[in-house]
Amino acid sequence: MVSQGSTLQSTTQKYLEIFDISNNLVIMQDGACSLVMRCTAINFDLYSEEEQDATIYAYAALLNSLSFPIEILIRSSKKDVTSYLDLLKDQEIHAYNPVRKNNIKEYREFVEQLVQERNVLEKKFYIIVTYTALEAGINVGSSLIPGIQKKELPTLDKHAIIEKALTNLEPRRDHLVHQFARIGLFASQLNTQELIQLFYMIYNPEAVKGVKMVDQKEYVSPLVGSSLRYAPSERPPTPALAIPEPLPKADSPTQSIQETVPQNITNLPAPTPPPTQGQYGP
């Protein structure tokens, strides 16, 4: 039983390694900051032998030029075609030709059935660059269990950590973008909204179909509730709604309406009569 005034912390947030997502960075519990970049892909098998050799040499040059660690993540997820089906449905509604309308309908049903019967997967490639707590000069004490660190973020200024992280991560990002461009790949950094969407899809794989998250500037409360103030049995009662009293009914049909209306309404000033002909003109 939770006593009144006590706080029950959120168990899910307790075991997440993410402390916050801000300024296009992922801030971890130990004070480290990570920058996530999305990268395109190329079909290596379609290249000629000379093009394959050039790509391999360019990738080797990228690895040799690194003076910091990076992480390459390949994520496979089920393809979400909800927006595409909505587009087809909208085109079907606005189609004037009956033959065209029927063709769009058959194609939309075919795509919908194909996605339901088969697992249409989508691969996305991400590059993670981390500014560690050791680089930031944050001393994170180890826990009693060997190999496991404490999950508590030291009491530091978060804005100072972000400023240091951006100073070190932005040159690394620009260097990677330039090196990937030599291979023929396009890399771009994920902003705060895209990072929130990405981690929501990772932690909620069964509930992302058709989900469109609003802009993070429109949030009025945190995504994860911080605490429960009261136990269910000790929750204070909800105050009853104030219902206005009904107006008194007339005793007979001939009774005047003014007798049944409150006095503050009957004392309204009388309306000004309209001007007669000749008052403002001939």
Side-chain angles (χ1 to χ4, degrees), residues 81 85 106-120:
V81 295
L85 293 176
E106 292 180 354
Y107 176 70
R108 178 177 56 82
E109 294 176 351
F110 166 75
V111 173
E112 189 173 3
Q113 183 179 3
L114 179 65
V115 175
Q116 291 177 356
E117 294 179 354
R118 303 180 183 180
N119 290 329
V120 182

Side-chain angles (χ1 to χ4, degrees), residues 135-205:
E135 293 178 301
I138 302 175
N139 184 13
V140 181
S142 60
S143 65
L144 298 178
I145 303 176
I148 300 179
Q149 293 181 339
K150 291 182 179 180
K151 295 294 183 179
E152 298 179 358
L153 183 67
T155 306
L156 295 175
D157 187 5
K158 185 178 72 172
H159 299 286
I161 297 176
I162 293 176
E163 185 177 356
K164 291 181 180 179
L166 289 175
T167 304
N168 288 268
L169 289 177
E170 287 180 350
R172 301 178 183 180
R173 175 201 61 193
D174 298 338
H175 175 74
L176 288 174
V177 170
H178 176 71
Q179 293 295 327
F180 278 117
R182 295 181 59 187
I183 308 176
L185 302 175
F186 175 74
S188 60
Q189 180 183 358
L190 298 182
N191 55 31
T192 302
Q193 182 67 23
E194 293 172 336
L195 289 172
I196 294 174
Q197 180 75 22
L198 174 62
F199 284 103
Y200 181 83
M201 294 172 62
I202 292 175
Y203 290 109
N204 301 272

Side-chain angles (χ1 to χ4, degrees), residues 266-273:
T266 57
N267 292 334
L268 296 177
T272 305

